Amino acid sequence: MLVLLLLDAMLTYAVALSYSNHVHDRDLAGDAQSIAALLQHDALPGEISAQARFLLDYDPAGRNYFDIRSRQHGLVSGNGHLHGPTVHAHIGQAPILFDTRLGHTPLRAATVAIPDPRHAQDVLDITVAETLHDRHMIAREILLLSVSLQLLLMLLLLGLVWFGVDVGLRGLEPLTRRLARRERTLAPIDDSDVPRELLPLTRTIDTLFGRLRGLMALQERFIADAAHQLRTPLTGLSLHVERAQAHAHDPALRDALHHIERLNARAARTARQLLALTRAQTPHEDEQDRAIIDLGTLVPETVGDRVHEAIAAGVDLGYEGTTEATPILGNAGALRELLDNLLDNALRYAGRDGQVTVSLRAADADGGPRIIVEDDGPGVADEFLSRLGERFFRTPTSHGDGTGLGLAIVQRIAERHAASVVYARAPSGGLLVDIRFPAMSITA
């Protein structure tokens, strides 16, 4: 708009200057005709009448000039040496308007021809000229007045646009709030409060959501079916390996069977984790599966179930919890799955003679309850902390038999409970995982 204002100012000045030139040219021609009339009727021989002299010298600023020339005798009177037009004016003809100069000063002049009252055969050329100062001054005044009004109108227009856009966008707030509250749902957008102009956009988004729902359903069904189909042969393979180990006397055969058993256990664990991940990232969850759960009871029970496994692995597993009730609204099975995966990860990387500590902190003024699991293992480099929770991601320094799905399951279950997961370096150098539930978990 500023560029348009500049272009408009240039155009306005050109139009104003043209109008000013037209008015001044008309006045200049009128002055020349008036002086000619006075000279014809009132002039004495060899003199210019007082009325004519007054008209010619009326400008005290010295911006007006006149010149009376006889075509036979030359200059009769004048206050400037003006050059006449390139073409002689004719008696009885309208004044000739032309541009000329006096020294370095540009002038606009008008010339009219009359018979010389003193010499019947002679002709007087009366030239009246003025500088361009007044013309430009009037054009500038018109420009300033016009630009001031246009600037005021522009400011009013900007205010109206600002107000209109603000009011218009305010109608999007209900839709924005509803979309912000969505977590993983791909249900169609309710367009009851959507402005009519945005309906094509929301319907296009609904179409995209429908395609994504179909793709996600296919993916989840494939993973679930594949994992389910793998469980049966893996279970049978494990039973046959146990039978073979019971009757194998060759040390090389027993060692091979032991490796087969380990690989089979790893494959079975991967299948279980794929099923768990599929359940964790399912877009819909039945409300009947949610209940008020006391983390002060669930967390120590889950930790207690893993004590024997920790002792067998040579890991010191400890629990530090609050004695206060710590209720949240959630799914008990999913939360146990979350804790089991955190403990699996911590026990595996803590290693023999390592320490794993599970802490439960009650809700405070800064937020809701928190579950913290830390170990004193090798930890994770800072540049990889942000990638923990991605499916199948394992740090380059990982040498265990993990699948890269455990923390992904933790991430998805935490999201289903509106909790955040923070990965950091533990004070002992290992990995610290902090699950932070919201203060109002019952809205999750």
Side-chain angles (χ1 to χ4, degrees), residues 112-421:
V112 64
I114 62 172
D116 189 344
R118 298 170 298 176
H119 304 91
Q121 302 301 322
D122 200 2
V123 177
L124 294 179
D125 289 322
I126 302 169
T127 302
V128 180
E130 65 180 7
T131 62
L132 306 181
H133 176 270
D134 290 343
R135 300 167 181 254
H136 290 287
M137 182 180 67
I138 292 176
R140 285 194 297 269
E141 290 175 354
I142 296 174
L143 174 64
L144 291 176
L145 178 61
S146 175
V147 169
S148 300
L149 292 175
Q150 290 172 0
L151 185 59
L152 178 61
L153 289 174
M154 183 182 295
L155 293 176
L156 290 175
L157 177 62
L158 286 175
L160 288 174
V161 170
W162 186 283
F163 176 76
V165 171
D166 182 63
V167 171
L169 292 180
R170 207 174 295 164
L172 299 179
E173 291 180 359
L175 175 62
T176 303
R177 286 195 295 268
R178 284 195 290 110
L179 292 178
R181 287 195 297 268
R182 289 189 172 204
E183 290 294 334
R184 299 180 60 81
T185 177
L186 295 176
I189 300 173
D190 180 14
D191 57 8
S192 59
D193 57 353
V194 176
R196 181 178 56 189
E197 295 80 5
L198 290 182
L199 286 177
L201 174 63
T202 56
R203 288 168 183 170
T204 302
I205 294 176
D206 285 342
T207 302
L208 176 62
F209 280 176
R211 294 173 183 171
L212 288 175
R213 286 196 302 273
L215 291 174
M216 291 182 65
L218 287 174
Q219 179 190 31
E220 291 163 5
R221 186 160 57 247
F222 169 76
I223 294 175
D225 291 346
H228 181 74
Q229 294 298 324
L230 283 172
R231 292 177 64 182
T232 301
L234 289 175
T235 302
L237 180 60
S238 178
L239 291 174
H240 288 295
V241 167
E242 291 178 1
R243 288 180 57 194
Q245 285 179 329
H247 298 85
H249 303 289
D250 186 355
L253 179 59
R254 292 183 63 86
D255 183 65
L257 291 173
H258 176 69
H259 282 291
I260 293 174
E261 184 181 28
R262 287 184 54 194
L263 293 174
N264 183 73
R266 181 179 177 182
R269 182 171 179 273
T270 301
R272 290 195 302 271
Q273 286 189 320
L274 284 172
L275 282 173
L277 181 61
T278 303
R279 290 193 300 267
Q281 62 186 12
T282 301
H284 303 286
E285 185 177 89
D286 295 335
E287 290 296 329
Q288 62 184 4
D289 293 335
R290 287 178 173 263
I292 300 296
I293 301 169
D294 182 12
L295 292 179
T297 301
L298 184 142
V299 174
E301 285 182 354
T302 305
V303 174
D305 292 342
R306 306 298 293 271
V307 169
H308 296 291
E309 180 183 343
I311 293 174
V315 177
D316 180 10
L317 176 61
Y319 170 74
E320 298 176 357
T322 176
T323 58
E324 303 176 8
T326 313
I328 66 167
L329 179 62
N331 183 289
L335 290 174
R336 287 183 182 274
E337 187 78 37
L338 179 147
L339 285 169
D340 280 335
N341 280 279
L342 285 177
L343 289 171
D344 281 343
N345 188 77
L347 293 173
R348 180 175 297 104
Y349 289 103
R352 184 164 293 277
D353 299 326
Q355 290 186 346
V356 175
T357 303
V358 180
S359 304
L360 174 63
R361 300 182 184 178
D364 54 23
D366 296 330
R370 296 165 61 185
I371 299 175
I372 301 174
V373 178
E374 58 180 300
D375 60 69
D376 61 353
V380 177
D382 293 339
E383 61 266 26
F384 298 119
L385 288 175
S386 61
R387 297 195 59 188
L388 295 180
E390 295 181 10
R391 289 182 295 177
F392 301 107
F393 173 74
R394 301 185 66 203
T395 61
T397 56
S398 298
H399 300 295
D401 57 354
T403 61
L405 290 174
L407 293 181
I409 296 171
V410 171
Q411 190 81 31
R412 302 301 175 268
I413 295 176
E415 290 174 357
R416 296 303 300 269
H417 290 78
S420 61
V421 184

Side-chain angles (χ1 to χ4, degrees), residues 36-54:
L38 288 173
L39 288 175
Q40 277 184 307
H41 298 96
D42 300 331
L44 298 176
E47 296 182 357
I48 298 177
S49 68
Q51 294 91 339
R53 174 67 64 176
F54 175 77

Side-chain angles (χ1 to χ4, degrees), residues 12-31 58 63-64 96-100 106-110 128-143:
T12 301
Y13 184 77
V15 172
L17 184 59
S18 175
Y19 174 75
S20 178
N21 285 332
H22 175 73
V23 172
H24 277 76
D25 283 351
R26 185 178 59 193
D27 292 342
L28 194 62
D31 290 344
Y58 79 97
R63 291 192 291 267
N64 293 327
I96 296 177
L97 295 164
F98 61 96
D99 295 319
T100 185
L107 302 174
R108 182 69 170 169
V128 180
E130 65 180 7
T131 62
L132 306 181
H133 176 270
D134 290 343
R135 300 167 181 254
H136 290 287
M137 182 180 67
I138 292 176
R140 285 194 297 269
E141 290 175 354
I142 296 174
L143 174 64

